[in-house]
């Protein structure tokens, strides 16, 4: 009897964080319904590796690290979640890396390549700053009745928001002034 009571108590305590996380996620989805947000999405899961091969060429997916089968399914789930929650989306912008373009296309069915979202991984500081200025300017000129989607890389999202996302994770922000994003919340629909 004591063991059963303990197990029930343990199960209820373990359920609390999931419930709190679920409530927080619903609050973020609710905020997105009102429009006016920017959603940074880190590209979905890729084939194993870090970076790209030495012969990497933008526009030639055969030279890049691409989405895995899991990443393609994850990208489709992102789009399904937006449609399920009836989230208004204006533009869908993406880094020109194939893994980002594929994430955007599989999720939303459309994408506009945007060099300002290309990987900052090994760029000099002045180029990173220029890309950031372009992102802030684009965010300032978004359609405020819908949400602007930007699919990019972990290091870009970290530089812009201070958040290090996992693959396929969405960081929902609002523009705070002209050169700062305030994080509204995070959404991760991965099946891990």
């Amino acid at each position: 009897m004591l063991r059963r009571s303990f197990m029930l108590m343990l199960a209820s305590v373990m359920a609390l964080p999931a419930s709190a996380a679920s409530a927080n996620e619903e609050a973020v989805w609710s905020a997105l319904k009102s429009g006016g947000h920017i959603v940074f999405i880190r590209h979905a899961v890729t084939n194993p590796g870090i970076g790209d091969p030495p012969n990497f060429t933008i526009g030639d997916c055969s030279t890049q690290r691409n989405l895995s089968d899991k990443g393609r399914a994850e990208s489709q789930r992102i789009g399904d979640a937006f449609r399920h929650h009836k989230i208004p989306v204006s533009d869908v912008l993406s880094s020109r890396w194939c893994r980002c373009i594929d994430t955007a296309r599989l999720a939303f069915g459309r994408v506009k390549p945007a060099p300002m979202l290309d990987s900052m991984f090994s760029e000099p500081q002045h180029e990173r700053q220029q890309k950031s200025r372009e992102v802030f300017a684009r965010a300032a000129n978004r359609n405020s009745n819908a949400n602007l989607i930007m699919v990019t890389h972990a290091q870009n999202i970290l530089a812009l928001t201070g958040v290090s996302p996992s693959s396929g994770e969405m960081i929902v922000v609002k523009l705070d002034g002209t050169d700062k994003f305030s994080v509204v919340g995070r959404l991760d629909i991965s099946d891990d």
Side-chain angles (χ1 to χ4, degrees):
M1 181 69 139
L2 183 61
R3 179 184 163 125
R4 184 168 187 259
S5 296
F6 175 75
M7 294 304 284
L8 287 172
M9 181 182 77
L10 182 61
S12 67
V13 168
M14 290 177 69
L16 286 177
S19 298
S22 179
N24 184 50
E25 286 179 6
E26 285 308 314
V28 176
W29 286 116
S30 181
L32 284 171
K33 278 186 183 178
S34 66
H37 294 84
I38 300 97
V39 183
F40 288 105
I41 303 175
R42 180 180 177 190
H43 62 77
V45 176
T46 63
N47 293 318
I50 297 174
D52 289 289
N55 63 342
F56 162 79
T57 303
I58 288 179
D60 184 353
C61 297
S62 70
T63 67
Q64 301 178 30
R65 186 169 46 93
N66 294 298
L67 294 181
S68 64
D69 289 342
K70 181 178 178 180
R72 285 188 285 280
E74 185 175 66
S75 299
Q76 291 171 336
R77 281 195 310 276
I78 290 169
D80 291 344
F82 270 75
R83 288 183 288 280
H84 171 78
H85 288 93
K86 298 178 175 58
I87 304 302
V89 172
S90 60
D91 293 327
V92 178
L93 307 178
S94 173
S95 160
R96 295 177 294 168
W97 268 242
C98 293
R99 57 187 170 265
C100 294
I101 287 176
D102 290 346
T103 298
R105 187 171 290 123
L106 287 166
F108 301 100
R110 60 193 164 96
V111 60
K112 180 179 177 187
M116 68 185 173
L117 297 173
D118 288 353
S119 177
M120 295 179 175
F121 184 65
S122 52
E123 289 187 336
Q125 186 64 23
H126 73 278
E127 289 181 24
R128 290 175 182 225
Q129 291 171 338
Q130 178 59 34
K131 282 183 176 177
S132 295
R133 282 191 294 273
E134 290 175 29
V135 169
F136 285 117
R138 180 61 183 88
N141 292 314
R142 72 193 178 287
N143 174 347
S144 61
N145 295 321
N147 299 287
L148 173 62
I149 307 297
M150 294 191 183
V151 182
T152 188
H153 308 268
Q155 64 272 11
N156 295 49
I157 296 171
L158 178 61
L160 291 161
T161 68
V163 176
S164 181
S166 48
S167 294
E169 186 175 9
M170 300 171 270
I171 310 302
V172 179
V173 301
K174 282 225 152 304
L175 189 59
D176 186 4
T178 58
D179 62 354
K180 183 180 178 203
F181 289 117
S182 295
V183 176
V184 173
R186 300 169 74 159
L187 295 167
D188 187 352
I189 60 165
S190 65
D191 62 355
D192 292 342

